[in-house]
Amino acid sequence: MHKSVQIKLSDNWRIQSSSKVSEKGSDISTNPTISENWLPAVVPSTVLSTLVANKVYEDPYFGENLKAIPTELFKVSWWYTSSFELTKEQSNEFASLKFDGINYKANVWLNGQLIADATDIDGAFRITSFDVSTHIKSGSNILAIEVIPPQPGDFSIGFVDWNPAPPDGDMGVFRPVTLHLHGGVQIEKPFVKTKVNLKTLKEADITVSAELTNYSKAKISGDLVGTIGAIVFKKNIRLAPNAKELITFDSKDFVGLNFKEPKLWWPINLGNPDLYDLDLKFVAKETVLDTAQLRFGIRDIQDYWLNDIHRGYKVNGKKVLIKGAGWTDDMLLMDTDESIEAQVKYVKQMNLNCIRLEGFWGKDHKLYDLCDEHGILLMVGWSCHWEHEIHMGVPVNERFGGVYKPEHISHVAQAWEDQVIWLRNHPSIFVWTVASDKVPITELEQKYIDTFAKYDPTRPYLNSTGGVGSDQHVIGSEDVISEISGSSGVKMLGPYAYTAPVYWFTDTKFGGAYGFNTETGPGAQIPQLESLKKMIPQEQLWPLGEAWNFHCGRYEFADLSRFTKAMDEKYGAPSSLEEFDRKAQAMNYELMRPMFEAFQVNKKKSTGIVQWMLNAAWPKMYWQLYDYYLNPTAAFYATQKACLPLSLIYNYGDKHIYAINDRQGTEEKLTAHIRVYSIGSEMLFEDKLNFTLDPDSSKSILELGKLKGLTTTYFVDLRLLDKTGVEISNNFYWLSTKEEVLDYEADLGPFAFHTPSKVYADFTQLNELPKTQLGQSHYFEQDSEQQNIKVALKNNGDHIAFLINLKVVDKRTGELVLPIFWEDNFINLLPGEERMVCANFKGTSEAELKVEGWNLE
């Protein structure tokens, strides 16, 4: 017999403002007619996302519509209610009701009885569970939750400066609600700890633990049985009434938990992200009282120190250069599983190996599961939302942020413990970040350390994502140094706005390519034209209207002035929206690629780089590699190119060509084909070099030096070939004889968020780039629910075809097909060159190809 059932209470919900409800929770949870005319909802959800789904507010992300949503609606509590059916047999079982996340407080009634109040459910990141065995019944059960909104000073969900604050503060039941039926003994907090033999990688010790709780008033004896593949292990357990016990299985007592030739979990480009499944069951008198399942990976995470200053990370004993970008959930927490899956695939396509979560994002485990499966490392921890008065709405401590009072320390420490237990089995998480811009107060950090010792000793933690260089006070007025753990060994020194390519290679004081830069980037990344038309009213599209600024960041990042000034100076002022779009994408590409490339080139003194940001919480102009509609910007393909595991890179600082090997094996008999072209596509220089690359290495193979006949704007074409002459990778640069000069002395006030340029490069000759004729043929093929497209391109002209942009549109609607996975885009073709480019996307509708470019006839 099997008594364990988990019922997700996700459907059949309704919500209503308490201002429109006179009845009490005891009545709402017994009389279904009270809520029959409320708005239908699902869980997880926020109040505002439900109003949007019911078209109470339409298109809140378009133009300035968000401003029209009154925040007063969300200053009162809102009711969520749902009903669920149980059979007579189910109603006789023991039951726990679990809430993975409610923002911010809640009172909960079940079938007329108050089972939890706002002192029990207090905090967005608290995970709570209640024994409701005596409250469930056969037939219809009604659950009513009064959600109390967050107040200024609460430790709530926050978006900081990358988009407007959601009008409802994301109040709601934003994570799952689960009814867990069992036979009296419940398996809780299952955990798998792995220890890899780093000398051989041929052996690993596995430790499995779980808490057993007896919710009955009788003694219960039974077996806790674990299964991993063909390996079975068990213990006989005797539990006193209402007792709780931690049960542990280790390889000393259970030989099968010493794995020989384990399949290790590796991040991308280092190996396969292999996973195992654990099944646990508690069996008493041939009856399964409860079960638990989880997936885990066998891997070892360590940190190390570079020159005793900068922290780096190792996976299974191998150093990993972290190449990542910062994640945000949808502003109203409306992400779908399909959207999350596409985004993780985008990360993998860009050759990134890491996502940084500034916050414990995710409505459930979907993002974490996908990163486990695809080999994407995760940095997980608190957001800086709680560290600044401008976000918290109350005064904060300049050194420690908003968490410094004893009651707040206790609250946040417990929330941290809940989140660690919730997520600790995910092998993709390689570090916990317990603070962002500041450091935790000593008492709080000690509580974190105690939590790690008890619940997760398998990973290092960062006391802050700032630290190195914090004495320069770029981010704040206090040095980011912990009294317990000292410097974090990582840096957060910007930049966050327009930054010239040469900066990344030459800066040695701020955000340049040394150490671990936990969040940085060249600022705005403008969406492509089709996305701009979706987010900005037509009358404000050109010239740039006020709605553009509303869709920028906040505070210092509330307009595009730095970006448009650089465009005007470097590329020439655009005279139309279409020209603006073309030049914006060129800038997206030009500015993003060298950031990642510089950290690749400087492997010996760099340990990590995180682009701020990866994605978009709503349609925006700043900080994204693809936009809210999942349409990649040119920065996406620049990142993909920059992070290739084998490539050739132009160093803007020393003007050398570098060869990069990001793999763990030696690469022999490689050939570099290097060419330089004038704006008129005349070849000014050509060389071929043969060389070998050591594992995980970067080396200079050629100094370009002074070249004769250069035009003000010129091109450098780099091709890497294997020993058979097959092209492994290509890289194409547009450069200027007028070099950009940085203004390190500029006075930016208390927040030195970027290093501006006092002299800009000159690419205005691109406006006179001769037209060329591009030939193309393509075909689509259907593969189940997916379509593939293959495009054969040929430059039939005598001039370089610059920034060819391939798009697929739905033939019936004319809309872009998104998400789409091009193996390359914003392509450059030399005169006479041919190239095959492939892509895949979901869908069965008839599609067609659009080919655009800077200088196509």
Side-chain angles (χ1 to χ4, degrees):
M1 185 181 296
H2 203 297
K3 292 180 175 285
S4 177
V5 178
Q6 295 205 35
I7 303 171
K8 279 197 173 181
L9 305 180
S10 55
D11 301 318
N12 198 31
W13 288 87
R14 292 187 176 275
I15 73 165
Q16 185 58 275
S17 169
S18 64
S19 65
K20 298 181 179 180
V21 178
S22 58
E23 294 85 357
K24 297 179 179 179
S26 55
D27 300 320
I28 297 169
S29 62
T30 52
N31 184 355
T33 62
I34 293 173
S35 59
E36 63 185 1
N37 293 321
W38 293 6
L39 291 171
V42 297
V43 163
S45 66
T46 65
V47 171
L48 184 50
S49 71
T50 301
L51 297 181
V52 171
N54 283 278
K55 299 189 182 303
V56 175
Y57 298 103
E58 297 194 54
D59 297 324
Y61 291 177
F62 180 75
E64 300 180 78
N65 290 354
L66 195 69
K67 292 180 178 179
I69 300 176
T71 56
E72 290 75 16
L73 289 174
F74 312 109
K75 292 181 178 178
V76 300
S77 61
W78 280 68
W79 285 98
Y80 278 69
T81 186
S82 181
S83 63
F84 56 92
E85 298 287 325
L86 295 177
T87 66
K88 184 176 182 180
E89 291 76 12
Q90 288 174 327
S91 68
N92 290 328
E93 303 295 354
F94 292 84
S96 295
L97 188 61
K98 183 182 179 186
F99 300 95
D100 282 348
I102 295 177
N103 188 23
Y104 189 74
K105 298 181 180 183
N107 299 303
V108 181
W109 285 263
L110 178 61
N111 296 329
Q113 300 296 312
L114 179 70
I115 64 167
D117 63 22
T119 61
D120 301 310
I121 300 178
D122 177 6
F125 296 101
R126 289 298 318 279
I127 297 177
T128 51
S129 182
F130 304 94
D131 183 3
V132 294
S133 304
T134 60
H135 301 303
I136 58 174
K137 63 180 183 178
S138 177
S140 179
N141 294 256
I142 302 177
L143 177 64
I145 306 171
E146 183 188 16
V147 178
I148 301 168
Q151 303 297 317
D154 282 341
F155 303 100
S156 183
I157 299 164
F159 289 90
V160 196
D161 56 3
W162 54 91
N163 52 260
D168 67 340
D170 279 334
M171 69 178 297
V173 185
F174 75 100
R175 283 182 175 160
V177 177
T178 307
L179 181 68
H180 186 158
L181 304 179
H182 57 89
V185 172
Q186 186 171 330
I187 301 170
E188 299 172 310
K189 302 177 183 176
F191 180 44
V192 178
K193 184 171 64 174
T194 66
K195 184 173 179 58
V196 178
N197 183 330
L198 296 179
K199 292 182 179 179
T200 66
L201 302 184
K202 301 293 185 182
E203 184 180 22
D205 289 313
I206 311 299
T207 302
V208 177
S209 63
E211 289 183 5
L212 295 185
T213 303
N214 182 359
Y215 284 91
S216 77
K217 296 179 180 179
K219 293 181 181 179
I220 296 181
S221 296
D223 291 327
L224 180 61
V225 183
T227 305
I228 302 172
I231 300 167
V232 180
F233 45 96
K234 69 177 181 178
K235 276 186 179 181
N236 185 258
I237 311 296
R238 292 180 176 84
L239 286 171
N242 304 118
K244 177 180 290 188
E245 186 174 344
L246 176 66
I247 310 300
T248 302
F249 302 90
D250 60 34
S251 59
K252 293 178 182 178
D253 298 323
F254 299 88
V255 177
L257 293 179
N258 177 253
F259 279 38
K260 307 297 184 183
E261 302 292 337
K263 293 182 177 180
L264 300 182
W265 186 93
W266 292 97
I268 59 171
N269 292 330
L270 288 183
N272 293 324
D274 285 306
L275 296 169
Y276 291 81
D277 292 300
L278 166 69
D279 289 288
L280 290 171
K281 60 182 178 180
F282 187 83
V283 184
K285 298 179 181 178
E286 300 184 350
T287 298
V288 177
L289 301 189
D290 199 20
T291 62
Q293 297 80 33
L294 63 87
R295 302 190 83 185
F296 68 96
I298 299 175
R299 57 97 179 96
D300 181 275
I301 303 291
Q302 294 177 325
D303 52 8
Y304 70 92
W305 289 89
L306 180 65
N307 301 326
D308 297 322
I309 299 172
H310 303 289
R311 192 186 301 265
Y313 292 92
K314 296 179 180 180
V315 179
N316 300 327
K318 307 295 184 183
K319 291 182 180 179
V320 180
L321 175 63
I322 301 300
K323 292 173 287 189
W327 176 279
T328 177
D329 279 3
D330 177 273
M331 188 168 71
L332 302 184
L333 308 187
M334 297 190 297
D335 289 300
T336 65
D337 286 356
E338 293 75 18
S339 168
I340 295 169
E341 183 172 9
Q343 294 183 72
V344 172
K345 288 181 177 179
Y346 271 171
V347 170
K348 193 172 182 179
Q349 182 184 331
M350 285 186 282
N351 298 303
L352 297 174
N353 58 18
C354 172
I355 295 172
R356 179 185 166 199
L357 309 185
E358 190 180 337
F360 284 94
W361 290 116
K363 65 185 187 302
D364 52 26
H365 284 262
K366 184 67 174 179
L367 172 61
Y368 306 88
D369 289 340
L370 287 167
C371 287
D372 292 344
E373 293 165 15
H374 288 280
I376 306 296
L377 294 164
L378 282 167
M379 299 178 71
V380 181
W382 295 136
S383 163
C384 71
H385 176 246
W386 304 345
E387 296 176 337
H388 301 279
E389 181 175 346
I390 198 169
H391 308 312
M392 279 288 281
V394 296
V396 301
N397 182 283
E398 189 60 33
R399 184 176 180 195
F400 303 118
V403 191
Y404 59 94
K405 297 178 180 178
E407 65 270 24
H408 295 160
I409 291 171
S410 177
H411 174 101
V412 170
Q414 184 59 59
W416 180 268
E417 180 179 301
D418 290 352
Q419 297 303 299
V420 166
I421 292 169
W422 190 57
L423 294 172
R424 61 183 173 170
N425 286 300
H426 291 283
S428 53
I429 298 174
F430 75 100
V431 64
W432 300 113
T433 58
V434 300
S436 180
D437 300 4
K438 304 189 178 183
V439 288
I441 196 168
T442 305
E443 295 85 347
L444 178 58
E445 185 174 357
Q446 186 58 56
K447 286 180 179 291
Y448 291 152
I449 292 169
D450 294 342
T451 291
F452 295 137
K454 184 175 182 179
Y455 291 111
D456 183 22
T458 69
R459 324 171 154 80
Y461 82 98
L462 279 176
N463 60 36
S464 175
T465 50
V468 176
S470 62
D471 56 346
Q472 299 181 76
H473 302 155
V474 172
I475 300 296
S477 61
E478 295 284 328
D479 296 0
V480 183
I481 302 292
S482 161
E483 295 176 358
I484 294 177
S485 50
S487 170
S488 65
V490 300
K491 65 179 183 178
M492 186 194 295
L493 299 172
Y496 298 93
Y498 172 83
T499 301
V502 69
Y503 170 92
W504 304 103
F505 293 93
T506 59
D507 171 75
T508 58
K509 188 178 179 182
F510 298 110
Y514 66 94
F516 191 157
N517 196 341
T518 59
E519 59 175 55
T520 190
Q525 283 90 46
I526 308 297
Q528 293 200 56
L529 184 59
E530 293 83 354
S531 295
L532 292 173
K533 291 179 177 179
K534 284 185 176 181
M535 58 194 278
I536 304 296
Q538 184 175 359
E539 66 276 10
Q540 292 200 47
L541 276 168
W542 190 261
L544 310 190
E546 186 59 33
W548 286 70
N549 291 341
F550 189 57
H551 286 265
C552 287
R554 302 167 73 190
Y555 318 127
E556 294 88 354
F557 312 105
D559 62 46
L560 291 171
S561 58
R562 291 176 294 271
F563 187 88
T564 54
K565 176 177 173 55
M567 178 186 289
D568 293 351
E569 293 279 349
K570 297 174 74 167
Y571 291 84
S575 58
S576 67
L577 179 63
E578 290 71 22
E579 185 182 354
F580 176 88
D581 171 54
R582 186 169 68 247
K583 291 181 174 178
Q585 297 313 313
M587 283 183 61
N588 286 345
Y589 202 114
E590 177 217 351
L591 300 180
M592 183 58 66
R593 177 174 55 180
M595 181 183 75
F596 283 106
E597 288 186 335
F599 280 78
Q600 293 260 70
V601 165
N602 287 356
K603 272 177 173 292
K604 291 182 180 179
K605 64 176 184 177
S606 299
T607 59
I609 171 72
V610 177
Q611 146 68 9
W612 195 252
M613 302 172 66
L614 171 70
N615 61 350
W618 85 314
K620 65 175 183 175
M621 307 292 174
Y622 263 84
W623 303 323
Q624 59 195 343
L625 296 175
Y626 50 88
D627 66 30
Y628 180 76
Y629 309 104
L630 304 186
N631 189 6
T633 71
F636 178 107
Y637 300 102
T639 301
Q640 178 179 324
K641 192 75 70 176
C643 295
L644 284 167
L646 277 175
S647 66
L648 299 177
I649 288 172
Y650 173 77
N651 183 327
Y652 285 79
D654 63 16
K655 300 180 177 59
H656 286 225
I657 306 301
Y658 283 76
I660 305 297
N661 180 11
D662 206 32
R663 295 172 175 167
Q664 295 298 315
T666 300
E667 297 289 337
E668 298 180 335
K669 298 180 180 179
L670 298 173
T671 300
H673 188 187
I674 301 165
R675 286 169 284 192
V676 179
Y677 291 85
S678 71
I679 193 69
S681 301
E682 175 189 1
M683 189 164 67
L684 305 175
F685 174 87
E686 181 176 24
D687 200 0
K688 288 188 177 181
L689 302 166
N690 299 316
F691 59 96
T692 294
L693 277 177
D694 293 334
D696 190 25
S697 68
S698 159
K699 74 174 182 180
S700 170
I701 59 171
L702 177 71
E703 181 181 3
L704 276 184
K706 292 184 178 179
L707 300 173
K708 294 181 180 180
L710 291 181
T711 46
T712 304
T713 302
Y714 63 99
F715 304 107
V716 173
D717 182 77
L718 307 177
R719 308 292 171 106
L720 182 62
L721 313 176
D722 68 13
K723 59 186 177 182
T724 66
V726 173
E727 186 177 294
I728 299 172
S729 64
N730 59 74
N731 220 346
F732 187 89
Y733 298 82
W734 51 105
L735 305 173
S736 175
T737 55
K738 183 185 177 186
E739 296 183 12
E740 201 132 353
V741 179
L742 302 171
D743 186 1
Y744 280 106
E745 306 306 317
D747 183 6
L748 299 173
F751 180 20
F753 56 89
H754 75 130
T755 300
S757 297
K758 55 185 176 183
V759 176
Y760 290 88
D762 183 359
F763 296 131
T764 54
Q765 284 188 327
L766 289 171
N767 297 318
E768 300 152 19
L769 191 63
K771 297 288 186 182
T772 191
Q773 186 181 57
L774 187 72
Q776 68 89 5
S777 62
H778 67 276
Y779 66 90
F780 293 92
E781 57 183 11
Q782 192 73 43
D783 181 10
S784 185
E785 295 299 309
Q786 178 175 287
Q787 287 193 62
N788 303 316
I789 180 174
K790 292 188 176 181
V791 184
L793 299 172
K794 184 178 181 182
N795 183 357
N796 293 318
D798 297 327
H799 296 93
I800 289 167
F802 187 55
L803 292 183
I804 301 164
N805 186 8
L806 304 175
K807 301 176 179 180
V808 174
V809 299
D810 185 296
K811 200 166 187 178
R812 181 179 61 84
T813 65
E815 292 283 320
L816 283 181
V817 173
L818 298 169
I820 189 166
F821 301 89
W822 287 104
E823 62 184 14
D824 196 8
N825 210 341
F826 290 91
I827 297 158
N828 305 282
L829 292 180
L830 302 178
E833 183 178 3
E834 299 180 40
R835 192 175 303 175
M836 178 74 77
V837 187
C838 303
N840 64 77
F841 54 92
K842 284 186 177 180
T844 57
S845 298
E846 189 175 0
E848 59 184 5
L849 175 70
K850 287 177 64 177
V851 181
E852 300 174 355
W854 186 282
N855 63 325
L856 302 186
E857 288 185 349

